Amino acid sequence: MTGHPDGKESSGILGALCPKILCGGDIYRRIVASMTLFAVCVILLIGVVSYACVDLLIRKNMRLAMESTASQQALKLSSSMDSIQESLSYLSKNSLLINSIIDTSGSRSYIDSFMKSYRPAGHGSVRLTLCDFQGSPIASNLATPASYNNPDLLQQTVEKCLPFSTVLSRRGADNCAWFLLAYPVVWNMTARSEGVLIAEVPIGEMIDAQLFAMGNKNNGTGFRMLSGGRTLFSRNFVEGTGLEKIELPLSTAAPLNNLGLSMQIENHRRISLWWLIPAYAVSGGILLLLSTILARRISSSVTFQLRALGAVAQRVAESGSLDTHADVAGPDDVKALASSFNAMIDRVRASNESLERRVAERTADLSVANEELLRINLERELANDGLREAMNKISTLRGLLPICASCKKIRDDKGYWNQIEVYIAEHSEVDFSHGICPDCAKELYGKFLD
Amino acid sequence: MNRHPWKYTGFPAILLLLFAAGTARSDAGKVYIGLNAEAGHSTSTSDDAIRQGIRIAIDEINRSGGVLGGRKLELIVRDNRAIPARAAAHFRELSGTKDLVAVFCGKFSSAVLESMPLVHEQKLVLLDPWAANDKIIENGYSPNYAFRLSLKDGWAVPAMMGYARDRGFSKVGLLLINTSWGRNNHEVVKRYLAAHPGISVVDTKWFNYGDSSLMPQYRSIRKAGAKAIVFVGIEPEAAILVKEMAALPLVNRLPVVSHWSVAGGDFPAMTGKALEKVDLAFVQTFDLHYNRSKRAGELLAVANRLFNMKSFREVKSPCGLSHAYDLTRILALAIDKAGSTDRKKVRDALEQLGRYEGLIRVYDPPFTPARHEALSPENVFMARYDTKGLIRPIQ
């Protein structure tokens, strides 16, 4: 794991998830944390979307698979039923049958063994009976054939010379339903139906042979065959519990087409996505790890130049030297920042140099002025020395002068009261010229002035 | 109030009763004969001939005073379409008809054999003017209610085999219909071969009603070295064979010696020109097409009146007409001898009749308790269709 550039270990995923880290800390951590958090969100989002998509896809595929299966099964069953019908129709036209109807000894000689030996392809349990026009058996592959004196059957096959079909139920169970197929046996010499070939086909056995052979019994689907809403055969079919249900009509030739046959299949199998969890966890973990590494690399690549720039800035700050420049490298914005920083350093250095130059110029001027001032001061000191000597010679007007509030005479050190002009004149180099101020003039000579 | 309502209801009632009584007396006066034959068979003309023969005889009998002192004979016809189950159903229905003394059967032995238990259960006199299966008469029932005035297989087979042998066909092939009739002929042939070593059967092939071709069987028989074919079947399959053979090169056409049922239909019309290309001979019992006898002339007069028949040459199955005519006349004699319509008495009377000069022959007597065959092997001969489509005995 990539370490922090400063040597500090990052706080990892948990740290990345911490808002404190997101809102504070250095850029490196914030970038890593942000990217990691983003990766986590993406992984979660991908997980959710993937689950939904996989589930949807699986359902769709299952639906398609069921439709395909149902179509195949319907085709198989239709073909099987048509095969039986074609076999029986073909058999009913066999001259041996009409011959046996005309031949009195048929039921006691060849036709019985012929009937017993006849097997429609793939339907070994078909009960086959050749009857006369009244439905009385002539020959059969059964030991004790029943009489088929059903008026509808005889009306259809003997009178109308058309094939007939119906459903027989034995022992009341759905799976014990049989197809009864009856075909007229027409003699070309009378052009009439002179007998009936009747076959009872066990529906369950037929469907088993066609659909559930080869150990394909528990494939998680339910199946049933219907005839006009009546269940003829069902296997693993529980109404209302299937996840998916498909119904297809069974397209058959006459006479079975009169029964309105259809088939339904339903799917009980739930596709478990538990395998998605470890797969998702492993791939998510790898993705998170890669994203963290990537985040660190990206963050490192982004902040490396910033850190270099910061180091340069720190050196400048600590040394005050503006001779250092930052490397202009890294991302564009960092390069722009480094370029700006260098420009700033250059500008500051140039500004400093200008300032120093001006300071030097000012300093030079000040030196001249100072020398002049020193000369003047020297001269003044010299003057002051002369003055000081002069002063020493004169009393100086300094300190408190006691003056009369009324006559304005000043008391000297010796206690004598002196005229102010006298006193100042004695104690300074001032000479007085006498005059009168307006006010005094006004006061003294007001009346003359007017 | 009407004081004499009977004036308005009584007279019509009396008239109705008188009419009903008259009708009942008229019905009671009739003696019924049944015909249970294959009228619905599209190519069969044997049933037509049988019906015509019966009607000619009935007309003659009724015109001469009827039976039992003036009771008219009347024919009831049922079509069994050659189907045994239908034949049985019709026999059962006819057996319930009052004053029905006997039932004629048709050409198909199978339809007759199927009904034999019923015939004897109902004590119904069965008169056979055509069906040739030996077992119809040799049925094992006693008393036997079946009587035949016709050919039987036991006579037809020697006639056919003898004809073939006489023509030098020492090796023949059998082509048989896959029914009880065909199997009966097969048994007779085997018995014949055991007694006549001069001829042998090199191959036996079977066919079914409704088969569309007999060439596979024919080729097999020819390949086996047969010099002639002995055919046992009816006219549709015989026509198929003749037409298929006619399409073969002449050297590949074997002579055909047939049972008589090729004459059970309009065979010349069914085969057309093909018939001229095939050497076909068949069994017959009576020559009607070229019969110039006085009795035949008398019959033709009746037939002309009844059916507008100009010549017996219009009859496609002349043996059927002849057999049925003679048998009806014999039945009428038996009814009179019995003195009632009681079937048992009629049956017994049939065995007790004296000499009768019929169309075909002099029956002396027609039947006896031990013999229910009115004809004999002497009546059997071979014939062929001539160029006019008429049946001409082979001299």
Side-chain angles (χ1 to χ4, degrees):
Chain A
M1 178 176 280
T2 306
H4 190 274
D6 297 340
K8 300 173 185 174
E9 278 298 324
S10 69
S11 52
I13 296 172
L14 291 174
L17 291 172
C18 178
K20 187 178 177 182
I21 294 175
L22 292 177
C23 299
D26 56 21
I27 292 174
Y28 174 82
R29 288 191 175 182
R30 291 174 71 176
I31 290 175
V32 171
S34 299
M35 288 188 67
T36 305
L37 183 59
F38 177 74
V40 168
C41 292
V42 168
I43 289 168
L44 288 174
L45 185 62
I46 288 173
V48 171
V49 172
S50 298
Y51 183 89
C53 289
V54 168
D55 187 60
L56 187 66
L57 196 63
I58 286 174
R59 284 176 182 275
K60 193 173 180 180
N61 281 342
M62 283 185 63
R63 178 81 185 175
L64 289 173
M66 283 184 67
E67 286 177 353
S68 173
T69 302
S71 297
Q72 288 180 359
Q73 289 182 343
L75 187 63
K76 270 188 170 182
L77 284 178
S78 298
S79 300
S80 175
M81 288 186 285
D82 282 347
S83 169
I84 295 175
Q85 294 193 107
E86 282 182 24
S87 297
L88 294 171
S89 176
Y90 188 77
L91 179 62
S92 71
K93 296 177 177 65
N94 191 312
S95 60
L96 201 59
L97 260 63
I98 188 66
N99 204 75
S100 67
I101 289 175
I102 301 166
D103 185 6
T104 53
S105 300
S107 60
R108 294 178 291 279
S109 60
Y110 59 90
I111 191 65
D112 245 8
S113 57
F114 172 78
M115 297 290 276
K116 284 182 173 66
S117 65
Y118 186 82
R119 292 284 182 276
H123 303 285
S125 299
V126 171
R127 299 178 177 180
L128 207 56
T129 304
L130 178 66
C131 296
D132 64 16
F133 76 104
Q134 294 169 311
S136 301
I138 292 175
S140 175
N141 61 1
L142 298 175
T144 53
S147 185
Y148 293 91
N149 51 6
N150 180 312
D152 293 337
L153 185 153
L154 296 177
Q155 171 78 13
Q156 181 82 354
T157 55
V158 177
E159 300 302 325
K160 296 182 180 177
C161 209
L162 294 172
F164 174 82
S165 67
T166 188
V167 175
L168 303 174
S169 293
R170 293 206 163 88
R171 293 190 294 276
D174 286 344
N175 287 349
C176 289
W178 295 58
F179 284 133
L180 185 146
L181 301 170
Y183 289 82
V185 181
V186 180
W187 189 16
N188 58 350
M189 288 296 105
T190 60
R192 300 280 294 273
S193 172
E194 305 300 355
V196 188
L197 176 66
I198 296 172
E200 293 182 16
V201 183
I203 298 173
E205 185 183 299
M206 179 191 70
I207 295 173
D208 275 341
Q210 293 300 321
L211 304 185
F212 300 108
M214 295 182 293
N216 193 24
K217 292 186 177 179
N218 297 316
N219 57 357
T221 58
F223 174 91
R224 70 175 174 180
M225 179 187 278
L226 304 169
S227 169
R230 174 189 169 191
T231 300
L232 304 181
F233 173 87
S234 70
R235 169 153 290 156
N236 305 326
F237 196 98
V238 185
E239 183 72 60
T241 61
L243 297 173
E244 295 277 355
K245 185 191 294 181
I246 291 176
E247 179 168 1
L248 286 177
L250 293 172
S251 175
T252 58
L256 275 179
N257 60 347
N258 296 327
L259 297 179
L261 296 174
S262 63
M263 57 160 280
Q264 290 181 340
I265 63 170
E266 65 173 7
N267 178 33
H268 301 291
R269 188 176 47 180
R270 291 180 181 274
I271 299 297
S272 174
L273 296 178
W274 64 268
W275 55 271
L276 204 58
I277 295 171
Y280 172 69
V282 170
S283 58
I286 292 171
L287 191 62
L288 188 58
L289 179 63
L290 292 175
S291 65
T292 304
I293 293 170
L294 187 64
R296 285 174 175 274
R297 286 189 178 278
I298 292 172
S299 177
S300 179
S301 68
V302 169
T303 59
F304 175 76
Q305 300 300 332
L306 289 175
R307 288 194 302 274
L309 187 59
V312 171
Q314 193 171 1
R315 282 201 301 274
V316 169
E318 288 175 353
S319 65
S321 172
L322 298 175
D323 295 334
T324 306
H325 275 76
D327 289 337
V328 180
D332 290 343
D333 45 359
V334 176
K335 282 200 283 190
L337 180 60
S339 297
S340 300
F341 179 78
N342 289 342
M344 184 187 73
I345 292 290
D346 292 343
R347 186 67 181 266
V348 170
R349 189 172 61 224
S351 179
N352 283 353
E353 287 173 356
S354 173
L355 185 60
E356 284 177 0
R357 191 167 55 249
R358 289 170 62 186
V359 167
E361 289 174 359
R362 293 290 188 276
T363 304
D365 291 344
L366 284 174
S367 295
V368 173
N370 195 36
E371 287 176 359
E372 184 62 23
L373 188 60
L374 287 173
R375 189 186 59 78
I376 291 170
N377 285 341
L378 184 59
E379 287 177 352
R380 282 185 179 177
E381 283 181 3
L382 290 175
N384 285 341
D385 287 342
L387 187 56
R388 196 169 302 118
E389 289 177 0
M391 284 295 287
N392 286 333
K393 292 176 181 177
I394 63 175
S395 62
T396 57
L397 295 174
R398 95 172 49 168
L400 289 174
L401 286 177
I403 189 166
C404 174
S406 182
C407 65
K408 304 302 182 187
K409 290 179 178 173
I410 297 173
R411 192 186 58 184
D412 63 13
D413 297 332
K414 293 173 181 175
Y416 296 113
W417 295 84
N418 304 309
Q419 286 289 338
I420 189 164
E421 293 91 328
V422 174
Y423 184 83
I424 291 173
E426 286 179 355
H427 294 82
S428 71
E429 294 177 353
V430 179
D431 291 338
F432 290 91
S433 65
H434 290 74
I436 302 172
C437 72
D439 288 336
C440 291
K442 192 174 182 183
E443 188 181 342
L444 292 175
Y445 304 110
K447 60 183 180 185
F448 299 106
L449 291 172
D450 289 339
Chain B
M1 188 175 178
N2 191 347
R3 297 176 61 184
H4 304 287
W6 61 271
K7 285 183 179 177
Y8 303 97
T9 58
F11 285 122
I14 291 168
L15 288 174
L16 188 62
L17 285 171
L18 287 173
F19 175 77
T23 306
R25 188 170 59 225
S26 174
D27 285 345
K30 286 183 179 177
V31 176
Y32 296 99
I33 302 169
L35 171 60
N36 187 2
E38 58 282 353
H41 189 282
S42 61
T43 62
S44 176
T45 55
S46 52
D47 60 296
D48 296 329
I50 292 169
R51 188 171 64 252
Q52 287 171 337
I54 295 171
R55 287 189 61 189
I56 291 169
I58 287 177
D59 186 78
E60 285 182 349
I61 294 163
N62 287 343
R63 283 180 175 273
S64 62
V67 294
L68 299 175
R71 295 175 68 175
K72 304 294 185 186
L73 285 174
E74 186 165 312
L75 180 65
I76 300 174
V77 180
R78 292 290 180 267
D79 176 17
N80 61 38
R81 306 211 298 258
I83 305 302
R86 290 189 185 278
H90 293 326
F91 275 122
R92 185 177 296 280
E93 181 239 326
L94 289 170
S95 70
T97 304
K98 187 170 180 286
D99 288 334
L100 184 137
V101 290
V103 178
F104 282 74
C105 66
K107 176 171 64 180
F108 286 85
S109 295
S110 303
V112 183
L113 283 175
E114 183 75 2
S115 304
M116 292 313 292
L118 178 68
V119 164
H120 289 86
E121 174 191 316
Q122 299 293 323
K123 295 181 170 49
L124 191 63
V125 176
L126 174 74
L127 301 178
D128 178 6
W130 192 295
N133 195 315
D134 294 345
K135 294 182 176 63
I136 292 174
I137 302 302
E138 299 161 14
N139 52 44
Y141 287 98
S142 181
N144 188 354
Y145 276 78
F147 297 85
R148 173 158 53 197
L149 194 158
S150 180
L151 178 68
K152 61 178 280 189
D153 295 335
W155 304 334
V157 167
M160 291 188 290
M161 297 294 281
Y163 174 76
R165 187 190 56 199
D166 293 345
R167 287 189 61 186
F169 307 137
S170 57
K171 293 180 179 177
V172 299
L174 297 182
L175 189 51
L176 308 169
I177 183 70
N178 185 21
T179 63
S180 55
W181 179 44
R183 288 189 289 277
N184 183 61
N185 277 276
H186 191 221
E187 291 171 12
V188 177
V189 168
K190 285 191 283 188
R191 288 199 299 269
Y192 179 86
L193 291 174
H196 301 80
I199 189 168
S200 63
V201 173
V202 294
D203 195 10
T204 300
K205 292 296 173 188
W206 301 85
F207 61 92
N208 297 317
Y209 286 121
D211 277 352
S212 56
S213 173
L214 274 66
M215 266 299 104
Q217 294 94 323
Y218 176 82
R219 289 199 182 95
S220 174
I221 290 171
R222 189 172 174 277
K223 191 177 179 182
K227 302 302 179 187
I229 287 180
V230 174
F231 179 85
V232 177
I234 60 171
E235 69 281 355
E237 288 74 27
I240 290 171
L241 177 67
V242 166
K243 285 191 277 190
E244 287 182 328
M245 286 178 62
L248 297 174
L250 180 61
V251 294
N252 293 340
R253 297 178 209 155
L254 297 176
V256 179
V257 183
S258 173
H259 208 298
W260 75 331
S261 280
V262 295
D266 189 359
F267 199 69
M270 293 172 72
T271 53
K273 292 289 184 185
L275 184 58
E276 299 173 6
K277 297 179 180 178
V278 176
D279 180 0
L280 172 68
F282 51 92
V283 180
Q284 287 288 275
T285 55
F286 184 64
D287 172 24
L288 187 62
H289 283 170
Y290 289 96
N291 196 304
R292 297 286 186 269
S293 68
K294 181 184 174 187
R295 188 68 181 274
E298 293 169 357
L299 258 64
L300 182 61
V302 179
N304 180 264
R305 180 162 45 80
L306 292 176
F307 317 117
N308 195 28
M309 187 183 291
K310 307 299 181 191
S311 166
F312 278 129
R313 295 180 179 183
E314 297 175 23
V315 180
K316 305 304 177 186
S317 304
C319 284
L321 186 148
S322 309
H323 295 173
Y325 172 81
D326 273 359
L327 198 50
T328 307
R329 295 302 302 251
I330 292 169
L331 173 66
L333 295 173
I335 293 170
D336 281 335
K337 186 175 184 64
S340 76
T341 57
D342 182 83
R343 294 169 191 162
K344 186 175 184 310
K345 290 181 179 175
V346 172
R347 190 210 78 83
D348 294 341
L350 280 167
E351 292 179 342
Q352 305 299 326
L353 292 174
R355 175 187 170 91
Y356 167 66
E357 290 188 20
L359 172 66
I360 298 172
R361 61 174 285 178
V362 175
Y363 303 92
D364 191 18
F367 304 106
T368 68
R371 177 175 59 80
H372 281 208
E373 302 281 2
L375 297 183
S376 63
E378 292 74 32
N379 295 108
V380 180
F381 61 90
M382 297 302 294
R384 65 172 71 244
Y385 284 105
D386 62 16
T387 53
K388 298 175 185 173
L390 303 176
I391 298 172
R392 182 185 290 273
I394 297 173
Q395 298 301 323

